[in-house]
Coordinates of all heavy atoms in Angstrom, one line a residue:
I246 N 188.3 65.5 -57.5 CA 187.1 66.2 -56.9 C 186.0 65.1 -56.6 O 185.5 64.5 -57.5 CB 186.6 67.3 -57.8 CG1 187.6 68.3 -58.0 CG2 185.3 67.9 -57.2 CD1 187.2 69.4 -58.9
G247 N 185.8 64.9 -55.3 CA 184.7 63.9 -54.9 C 185.3 62.6 -54.5 O 186.1 62.0 -55.2
A248 N 184.9 62.2 -53.3 CA 185.4 60.9 -52.7 C 184.4 59.8 -52.6 O 184.2 59.2 -51.6 CB 186.0 61.2 -51.3
G249 N 183.6 59.6 -53.7 CA 182.8 58.4 -53.9 C 183.7 57.4 -54.5 O 184.9 57.5 -54.5
A250 N 183.0 56.3 -55.1 CA 183.8 55.2 -55.6 C 184.8 55.7 -56.6 O 186.0 55.3 -56.6 CB 182.8 54.2 -56.2
G251 N 184.4 56.6 -57.5 CA 185.3 57.0 -58.6 C 186.5 57.8 -58.1 O 187.6 57.5 -58.5
G252 N 186.2 58.7 -57.2 CA 187.3 59.5 -56.7 C 188.3 58.8 -55.8 O 189.5 58.9 -55.8
I269 N 189.5 65.8 -52.8 CA 188.7 66.8 -52.0 C 187.2 66.3 -52.0 O 186.6 66.0 -53.0 CB 188.7 68.2 -52.8 CG1 190.2 68.6 -53.0 CG2 188.0 69.2 -52.0 CD1 190.3 69.8 -54.0
E270 N 186.7 66.3 -50.8 CA 185.3 65.8 -50.6 C 184.5 66.9 -49.8 O 184.9 67.3 -48.7 CB 185.3 64.5 -49.9 CG 183.9 64.0 -49.4 CD 182.8 63.9 -50.5 OE1 183.1 63.3 -51.6 OE2 181.8 64.6 -50.4
A271 N 183.3 67.2 -50.3 CA 182.5 68.3 -49.7 C 181.7 67.7 -48.6 O 181.4 68.4 -47.6 CB 181.6 68.9 -50.7
K272 N 181.3 66.4 -48.7 CA 180.4 65.9 -47.7 C 181.0 64.7 -47.0 O 181.9 64.8 -46.3 CB 179.0 65.6 -48.3 CG 178.1 66.8 -48.4 CD 176.8 66.5 -49.2 CE 175.9 65.5 -48.4 NZ 174.9 65.0 -49.2
D273 N 180.3 63.5 -47.3 CA 180.8 62.3 -46.6 C 181.7 61.5 -47.5 O 181.4 61.2 -48.7 CB 179.6 61.4 -46.3 CG 178.6 62.2 -45.3 OD1 179.1 62.8 -44.4 OD2 177.4 62.1 -45.6
G275 N 183.2 58.4 -49.2 CA 182.5 57.1 -49.6 C 181.4 57.5 -50.5 O 180.9 56.6 -51.2
G276 N 180.9 58.8 -50.5 CA 180.0 59.2 -51.5 C 178.6 58.5 -51.4 O 178.2 58.0 -50.3
D277 N 178.0 58.4 -52.5 CA 176.6 58.0 -52.6 C 176.5 56.5 -52.2 O 175.6 56.1 -51.4 CB 176.1 58.2 -54.1 CG 174.7 57.6 -54.3 OD1 173.8 57.9 -53.5 OD2 174.5 56.9 -55.3
C278 N 177.4 55.7 -52.8 CA 177.2 54.2 -52.6 C 177.2 53.9 -51.1 O 176.3 53.1 -50.6 CB 178.3 53.5 -53.3 SG 178.2 51.7 -53.3
T281 N 174.3 56.7 -49.1 CA 172.8 56.8 -49.4 C 172.4 55.8 -50.5 O 171.3 55.9 -50.9 CB 172.5 58.2 -49.9 OG1 173.4 58.6 -50.9 CG2 172.6 59.2 -48.7
G282 N 173.3 55.0 -51.0 CA 173.0 54.2 -52.1 C 173.1 52.7 -51.8 O 172.3 52.1 -51.1
C283 N 174.1 52.1 -52.4 CA 174.2 50.6 -52.4 C 174.1 50.0 -50.9 O 173.4 49.1 -50.7 CB 175.6 50.1 -53.0 SG 176.3 51.2 -54.2
S286 N 170.8 50.5 -49.0 CA 169.7 49.8 -49.7 C 169.8 48.3 -49.5 O 168.9 47.6 -49.3 CB 169.5 50.2 -51.1 OG 170.7 49.9 -51.8
K287 N 171.1 47.8 -49.6 CA 171.3 46.4 -49.5 C 171.0 45.9 -48.0 O 170.6 44.8 -47.8 CB 172.6 46.0 -50.0 CG 172.7 45.5 -51.4 CD 172.7 46.6 -52.4 CE 171.4 46.9 -53.1 NZ 171.5 48.0 -54.1
G349 N 186.0 69.8 -48.0 CA 185.6 71.1 -48.4 C 185.0 71.1 -49.8 O 185.1 70.0 -50.5
H350 N 184.4 72.2 -50.3 CA 183.8 72.2 -51.6 C 184.8 72.7 -52.6 O 185.4 73.8 -52.5 CB 182.6 73.2 -51.6 CG 181.9 73.3 -52.9 ND1 180.9 72.4 -53.2 CD2 182.1 74.1 -53.9 CE1 180.5 72.7 -54.4 NE2 181.2 73.7 -54.9
A351 N 185.1 71.9 -53.6 CA 186.1 72.2 -54.6 C 185.4 72.9 -55.8 O 184.3 72.6 -56.2 CB 186.7 70.9 -55.1
T352 N 186.1 74.0 -56.3 CA 185.7 74.7 -57.5 C 186.8 74.8 -58.4 O 187.9 75.2 -58.1 CB 185.1 76.1 -57.1 OG1 184.1 76.0 -56.1 CG2 184.6 76.8 -58.3
A375 N 185.1 63.6 -60.1 CA 184.3 62.4 -59.7 C 183.2 62.9 -58.8 O 183.0 62.4 -57.7 CB 185.2 61.4 -59.1
A376 N 182.4 63.9 -59.3 CA 181.4 64.6 -58.5 C 180.1 63.9 -58.3 O 179.2 64.4 -57.6 CB 181.2 66.0 -59.0
G377 N 179.9 62.7 -59.0 CA 178.7 61.9 -58.8 C 177.4 62.6 -59.3 O 177.5 63.3 -60.3
G378 N 176.3 62.2 -58.7 CA 175.0 62.7 -59.1 C 174.1 62.9 -58.0 O 174.4 62.7 -56.8
S396 N 166.4 58.8 -52.5 CA 167.4 58.0 -51.9 C 168.4 58.8 -51.1 O 169.1 58.2 -50.3 CB 168.1 57.2 -53.0 OG 168.7 58.1 -53.9
W400 N 167.2 57.9 -45.8 CA 167.9 57.1 -44.8 C 167.9 58.0 -43.5 O 167.8 57.4 -42.4 CB 169.3 56.7 -45.2 CG 169.2 56.1 -46.6 CD1 169.6 56.6 -47.8 CD2 168.6 54.8 -46.9 NE1 169.4 55.7 -48.8 CE2 168.7 54.6 -48.3 CE3 168.0 53.8 -46.2 CZ2 168.3 53.5 -49.0 CZ3 167.5 52.7 -46.8 CH2 167.7 52.5 -48.2
I421 N 166.3 51.1 -58.6 CA 166.2 51.6 -57.2 C 164.8 51.5 -56.7 O 164.5 51.0 -55.6 CB 166.7 53.0 -57.1 CG1 168.2 53.0 -57.5 CG2 166.5 53.6 -55.8 CD1 168.9 54.4 -57.5
E424 N 163.8 47.8 -56.1 CA 164.4 47.2 -54.9 C 163.7 47.7 -53.7 O 163.3 46.9 -52.8 CB 165.9 47.6 -54.9 CG 166.8 46.9 -55.8 CD 168.2 47.3 -55.7 OE1 168.6 48.1 -54.8 OE2 169.1 46.8 -56.5
R504 N 168.9 59.0 -61.5 CA 169.8 60.0 -60.9 C 170.4 60.8 -62.1 O 170.6 60.3 -63.2 CB 170.9 59.2 -60.2 CG 170.4 58.5 -58.9 CD 171.4 57.7 -58.3 NE 172.5 58.5 -57.8 CZ 172.6 59.3 -56.7 NH1 171.5 59.4 -56.0 NH2 173.6 60.0 -56.4
R507 N 175.9 65.5 -61.4 CA 176.0 66.8 -60.8 C 176.9 67.7 -61.7 O 178.1 67.4 -61.9 CB 176.8 66.6 -59.4 CG 176.7 67.8 -58.5 CD 177.3 67.5 -57.2 NE 176.4 66.9 -56.2 CZ 176.5 65.7 -55.7 NH1 177.5 64.9 -56.0 NH2 175.7 65.3 -54.8
G510 N 177.7 74.2 -60.0 CA 178.2 74.6 -58.7 C 179.6 74.4 -58.4 O 180.1 74.7 -57.3
Y511 N 180.4 73.9 -59.4 CA 181.8 73.8 -59.1 C 182.7 74.1 -60.3 O 183.8 73.6 -60.5 CB 182.1 72.4 -58.6 CG 181.7 71.2 -59.4 CD1 182.7 70.6 -60.2 CD2 180.4 70.7 -59.4 CE1 182.3 69.5 -61.0 CE2 180.1 69.7 -60.2 CZ 181.0 69.1 -61.0 OH 180.7 68.0 -61.8
V540 N 184.9 60.8 -64.2 CA 184.6 59.4 -64.0 C 183.4 59.3 -63.2 O 182.9 60.2 -62.5 CB 185.8 58.6 -63.3 CG1 187.0 58.7 -64.1 CG2 186.0 59.2 -61.9
G541 N 182.8 58.1 -63.3 CA 181.6 57.8 -62.4 C 180.3 58.4 -62.9 O 180.1 58.6 -64.1
D542 N 179.4 58.5 -61.9 CA 178.0 59.0 -62.3 C 178.0 60.3 -63.0 O 177.2 60.6 -63.8 CB 177.2 59.2 -61.0 CG 176.7 57.8 -60.5 OD1 177.2 56.8 -61.0 OD2 175.9 57.8 -59.5
V543 N 179.0 61.2 -62.8 CA 179.1 62.5 -63.4 C 179.4 62.3 -64.9 O 179.2 63.2 -65.7 CB 180.1 63.4 -62.7 CG1 181.5 63.1 -63.1 CG2 179.7 64.9 -62.9
Q548 N 175.5 54.1 -64.3 CA 175.7 54.6 -63.0 C 175.8 53.4 -62.0 O 174.8 53.0 -61.5 CB 174.5 55.5 -62.6 CG 174.5 56.7 -63.4 CD 173.2 57.6 -63.1 OE1 172.2 57.0 -62.8 NE2 173.4 58.9 -63.2
F549 N 177.0 52.9 -61.9 CA 177.3 51.8 -61.0 C 178.6 52.1 -60.3 O 179.5 52.7 -60.8 CB 177.5 50.5 -61.7 CG 176.3 50.1 -62.5 CD1 176.4 50.0 -63.9 CD2 175.1 49.8 -61.9 CE1 175.3 49.7 -64.7 CE2 174.0 49.5 -62.7 CZ 174.1 49.4 -64.1
T550 N 178.7 51.6 -59.1 CA 179.9 51.8 -58.3 C 181.1 51.1 -59.0 O 182.2 51.7 -59.1 CB 179.7 51.1 -56.9 OG1 178.7 51.9 -56.2 CG2 181.0 51.1 -56.1
H551 N 180.8 49.9 -59.5 CA 182.0 49.2 -60.1 C 182.4 49.8 -61.4 O 183.5 49.7 -61.8 CB 181.6 47.7 -60.3 CG 180.3 47.4 -60.9 ND1 179.1 47.4 -60.2 CD2 179.9 47.2 -62.2 CE1 178.1 47.2 -61.0 NE2 178.5 47.1 -62.2
A553 N 182.3 53.2 -61.9 CA 183.1 54.3 -61.4 C 184.5 53.9 -61.1 O 185.5 54.5 -61.5 CB 182.4 55.0 -60.2
V582 N 173.6 44.3 -61.5 CA 172.7 43.5 -60.7 C 171.6 44.3 -60.1 O 171.9 45.4 -59.5 CB 173.4 42.7 -59.6 CG1 172.4 41.8 -58.9 CG2 174.5 41.8 -60.2
F584 N 169.0 44.2 -57.1 CA 169.0 43.3 -55.9 C 167.6 43.1 -55.4 O 167.3 43.2 -54.2 CB 169.9 43.9 -54.8 CG 171.4 43.8 -55.2 CD1 172.0 44.8 -56.0 CD2 172.1 42.7 -54.9 CE1 173.3 44.7 -56.4 CE2 173.4 42.6 -55.4 CZ 174.0 43.6 -56.1
Ligands
FAD1 C1 169.6 53.6 -53.6 C2 170.8 53.4 -54.5 C3 171.2 52.1 -54.6 C4 172.3 51.8 -55.4 N1 172.8 50.5 -55.5 C5 173.8 50.2 -56.3 C6 174.3 48.9 -56.4 O1 173.7 48.0 -55.8 N2 175.4 48.7 -57.2 C7 176.0 49.7 -57.8 O2 177.0 49.4 -58.5 N3 175.6 50.9 -57.8 C8 174.5 51.2 -57.0 N4 174.1 52.5 -56.9 C9 174.8 53.6 -57.7 C10 176.1 54.0 -57.0 O3 175.8 54.5 -55.7 C11 176.8 55.1 -57.8 O4 176.9 54.6 -59.2 C12 178.2 55.4 -57.3 O5 178.1 55.8 -56.0 C13 178.8 56.5 -58.2 O6 180.1 56.8 -57.6 P1 180.7 58.2 -58.0 O7 182.1 58.2 -57.4 O8 180.6 58.5 -59.4 O9 179.8 59.3 -57.3 P2 179.4 59.5 -55.8 O10 179.4 58.3 -55.0 O11 178.1 60.2 -55.9 O12 180.5 60.5 -55.2 C14 180.6 61.8 -55.6 C15 181.1 62.6 -54.4 O13 181.6 63.9 -54.9 C16 181.3 64.8 -53.9 N5 181.3 66.1 -54.5 C17 180.5 66.5 -55.5 N6 180.9 67.8 -55.9 C18 181.9 68.1 -55.1 C19 182.7 69.3 -55.0 N7 182.5 70.4 -55.9 N8 183.7 69.4 -54.2 C20 183.9 68.3 -53.4 N9 183.2 67.2 -53.4 C21 182.2 67.1 -54.3 C22 180.0 64.4 -53.3 O14 179.8 64.9 -52.0 C23 180.1 62.9 -53.3 O15 180.6 62.4 -52.1 C24 173.0 52.9 -56.1 C25 172.5 54.2 -56.0 C26 171.4 54.4 -55.2 C27 171.0 55.8 -55.0

Side-chain angles (χ1 to χ4, degrees):
I246 299 178
I269 309 169
E270 171 55 53
K272 278 173 69 193
D273 299 319
D277 176 48
C278 186
T281 53
C283 334
S286 63
K287 266 79 256 180
H350 182 86
T352 305
S396 61
W400 312 107
I421 295 177
E424 285 180 6
R504 293 176 61 78
R507 194 175 272 118
Y511 58 98
V540 300
D542 284 7
V543 81
Q548 296 174 325
F549 302 115
T550 296
H551 47 277
V582 181
F584 292 87

